[in-house]
Amino acid sequence: MRGPHRQLLAALLPTLVLLLATSLPDPAAAVRAEPPRPPPSPPPYALQLMMGLYPNHEWTTPVLASDEPRGQTWGPNSRNSTPHIPFTLAESDEDLIQLYDENLELDLAPWRRRNRSEVTVARLFELAERLPGKASQRMVLIKGGRLALLMQNSNSGPMLECEKPCDPVLDDLITDLRIWVAQSPQEWPDAVFFLNTADTSLCQAPGEGKRRSKTSLGPCPVPVLSLVKEWERHRDEDILVPITVGMHKAKPLYYFPWKKKIDRAIFRGTEYCHTRQYGYAPDTCSRTYFAHMTHLNPDWARFVDVGMVDNYTTRAPDGGSQVIPARGFVPMPELARFRYTLALDGITASSRLARLLSLNSVVLKQTSPWIEWYYRSLVPGTHYLSFWNHHRTDLLQVIKYVRHKSKYLVDVATHGQQFAYRYLLPNARRLYWRRVLHEYVKVFADMDEYVAKQVIPAGASA
Ligand SMILES: *[C@@H]1O[C@H](CO)[C@@H](O)[C@H](O)[C@H]1NC(C)=O
Ligand SMILES: *[C@@H]1O[C@H](CO)[C@@H](O)[C@H](O)[C@H]1NC(C)=O
């Protein structure tokens, strides 16, 4: 999630949490002793619009934000039901082995095959100098439980803050890393690494011919750490790391009684369009295409509700234009009121997938070459249902095929939540990051030697 969208979420979330908390019948909420609150404010405009679209929905039943797993049928009368699929937290490296094997190990494999004496810190700096110095990219140094940022031209010394322009996603990640390494310095290796939080990868696999995009470096001589990459026909060689933005604001799990959910597939977001083309949908942007179909085609509108945050103007083949009216921004937890949520690519992978998995709804995910650090452990048909496998309209067939299989749908929703609970909470992300860095430094010939010579200046934030 990027830009104004995220700011809006930040602005709306406190109101929403307040709304939920004040109307919650659950005694657990009362246990969290909080100061008296002002009366709830009216729901934001987008929610009001949604209430108009679904007047028969039980809007007075709140979405429950929960630290603990509950039964899928959770509702006012079945509060104590426990999930029929076991939920466990990943609390150590051992609990995360499968995630490491299915994701990190694949990212490391090409680097472990390299001639180690050619993977050097000097080459890492050479690579950084070829990049234009973007707000979303920094060279990061960790030493003795402290973190600093290095200038790409190595003339000036280490800095403690991410100086402007600094992408908020990068800034959040640096803040979390700094806290993590300071908490347990001995658990973190000393390392210097290039961190890329842009919406794209940097390192394509060798032997893939011409560069695929302006932002790609081509094959990299040394690894960089990125948030997304392509993993299909092209296998980018970036090492993927978890994002942390928004992580602390979200609750681990959200619930809404399955039987009361609105029988639609919901999406609210901005009209970002992916940069890769698909054989069956060469110029189709999933977000705007589905918004278009929701607006114009009653057969689609019965099953799918895709709305853009802002008014969106489409161009018709005859040169005319048509405005698809805005449906506004809806805070993520409110999407739990729907049976299905849609995971549609933004420019590349969308970090909202982790949030969608935490709602007890079925995630319908667009098949896409873009992945984040954990995607290779997600099993279609188990943790989510996939579409865009054959045709740009196949979403409708998927929904029509499963919609009466309630038991299966509840299982998919529960498996999705179970995955999010085990692998996507802040502590699991911290462990994954730590593992990445321990393995990353081993790929270099001279990492210890380089870091031993570095000095991080004393400073208030250290
Ligand atoms: C590895 O790289 C070094 C330095 O370029 C070179 O001297 C050495 O022969 C290479 N080893 C192999 C097995 O290619
Ligand atoms: C969308 O357009 C309508 C009609 O022009 C306008 O009233 C409304 O404020 C616009 N909504 C947004 C979110 O821009």
Side-chain angles (χ1 to χ4, degrees):
M1 219 189 308
R2 298 257 152 170
H5 195 157
R6 191 178 46 229
Q7 283 155 19
L8 203 57
L9 171 65
L12 284 180
L13 216 55
T15 317
L16 187 84
V17 167
L18 205 65
L19 269 172
L20 291 176
T22 44
S23 52
L24 208 62
D26 188 343
V31 173
R32 282 182 260 120
E34 279 164 25
R37 304 178 194 88
S41 33
Y45 132 83
L47 269 181
Q48 253 163 9
L49 199 70
M50 205 177 250
M51 289 174 182
L53 283 170
Y54 305 105
N56 299 327
H57 177 69
E58 255 189 53
W59 290 98
T60 50
T61 302
V63 172
L64 176 76
S66 179
D67 291 316
E68 300 296 332
R70 299 184 175 234
Q72 268 287 357
T73 52
W74 178 84
N77 303 320
S78 53
R79 193 175 300 144
N80 299 323
S81 59
T82 49
H84 61 294
I85 291 167
F87 277 56
T88 50
L89 279 174
E91 288 169 315
S92 67
D93 273 339
E94 249 165 56
D95 299 334
L96 283 162
I97 287 294
Q98 197 179 341
L99 199 66
Y100 298 153
D101 280 354
E102 293 171 351
N103 299 275
L104 177 57
E105 288 297 310
L106 301 181
D107 292 348
L108 290 165
W111 299 106
R112 290 181 174 150
R113 287 197 296 268
R114 297 283 173 108
N115 180 341
R116 190 163 169 268
S117 55
E118 290 179 351
V119 180
T120 62
V121 175
R123 289 211 161 140
L124 183 64
F125 278 95
E126 275 165 34
L127 176 144
E129 271 161 29
R130 282 161 58 196
L131 290 159
K134 286 168 73 168
S136 54
Q137 297 168 345
R138 287 290 190 286
M139 192 74 86
V140 182
L141 170 69
I142 289 176
K143 185 174 179 181
R146 304 176 72 217
L147 182 148
L149 302 165
L150 304 180
M151 291 303 283
Q152 265 140 260
N153 70 46
S154 34
N155 297 334
S156 46
M159 293 178 308
L160 296 174
E161 298 305 325
C162 188
E163 292 203 340
K164 303 273 177 289
C166 177
D167 182 275
V169 174
L170 177 69
D171 209 6
D172 273 21
L173 193 43
I174 287 170
T175 302
D176 285 311
L177 279 170
R178 172 170 283 134
I179 293 168
W180 289 338
V181 300
Q183 275 167 352
S184 49
Q186 69 293 347
E187 287 181 15
W188 292 77
D190 291 346
V192 63
F193 54 92
F194 188 81
L195 178 54
N196 165 42
T197 64
D199 242 350
T200 188
S201 51
L202 291 175
C203 300
Q204 70 180 76
E208 279 186 4
K210 68 179 169 62
R211 289 151 92 94
R212 298 194 306 277
S213 78
K214 270 183 247 160
T215 47
S216 165
L217 285 165
C220 291
V222 293
V224 305
L225 308 187
S226 295
L227 302 183
V228 293
K229 71 176 181 178
E230 269 194 86
W231 191 263
E232 211 174 53
R233 191 157 60 85
H234 304 292
R235 299 207 155 182
D236 293 335
E237 295 188 335
D238 306 50
I239 295 176
L240 294 177
V241 287
I243 192 170
T244 63
V245 68
M247 181 178 78
H248 304 292
K249 283 193 207 121
K251 276 281 181 182
L253 300 161
Y254 294 89
Y255 290 93
F256 193 81
W258 177 263
K259 287 201 171 78
K260 294 181 179 176
K261 284 182 192 249
I262 301 165
D263 191 10
R264 292 279 197 297
I266 185 78
F267 181 87
R268 290 289 182 272
T270 39
E271 60 267 27
Y272 289 130
C273 286
H274 38 87
T275 49
R276 285 286 166 274
Q277 300 203 333
Y278 299 82
Y280 46 80
D283 296 315
T284 308
C285 167
S286 57
R287 294 186 178 195
T288 56
Y289 176 67
F290 292 143
H292 204 98
M293 296 306 264
T294 300
H295 185 63
L296 295 174
N297 186 324
D299 194 30
W300 276 73
R302 273 180 61 214
F303 300 104
V304 176
D305 178 352
V306 173
M308 297 295 110
V309 169
D310 299 308
N311 288 329
Y312 171 71
T313 309
T314 59
R315 271 176 304 265
D318 63 8
S321 68
Q322 181 174 27
V323 175
I324 309 285
R327 290 202 171 173
F329 172 76
V330 175
M332 197 82 70
E334 289 298 298
L335 304 185
R337 297 180 177 279
F338 292 79
R339 283 204 177 159
Y340 316 90
T341 62
L342 285 163
L344 306 177
D345 275 6
I347 295 162
T348 61
S350 171
S351 64
R352 80 169 59 206
L353 178 58
R355 299 286 311 279
L356 296 181
L357 289 166
S358 76
L359 314 177
N360 67 327
S361 296
V362 173
V363 175
L364 292 166
K365 187 184 175 305
Q366 167 185 355
T367 296
S368 160
W370 294 106
I371 58 167
E372 292 182 272
W373 84 100
Y374 63 91
Y375 286 25
R376 286 162 288 186
S377 291
L378 287 174
V379 181
T382 298
H383 301 110
Y384 69 95
L385 302 180
S386 75
F387 63 91
W388 271 35
N389 294 310
H390 308 293
H391 194 269
R392 64 179 184 172
T393 61
D394 66 4
L395 169 62
L396 217 50
Q397 280 129 37
V398 172
I399 296 173
K400 287 180 179 174
Y401 181 71
V402 296
R403 60 192 298 262
H404 296 298
K405 305 182 199 298
S406 309
K407 191 175 172 299
Y408 173 62
L409 291 175
V410 169
D411 270 5
V412 173
T414 308
H415 276 123
Q417 278 194 308
Q418 179 203 37
F419 186 97
Y421 187 70
R422 183 168 179 84
Y423 292 132
L424 306 179
L425 296 186
N427 191 47
R429 296 184 196 222
R430 179 185 68 87
L431 291 169
Y432 196 96
W433 253 102
R434 201 181 67 183
R435 178 79 161 209
V436 167
L437 290 182
H438 275 291
E439 297 304 320
Y440 164 88
V441 296
K442 292 184 203 161
V443 163
F444 282 78
D446 59 347
M447 186 58 75
D448 290 348
E449 213 179 300
Y450 172 83
V451 179
K453 287 186 239 144
Q454 305 306 306
V455 180
I456 298 184
S461 61

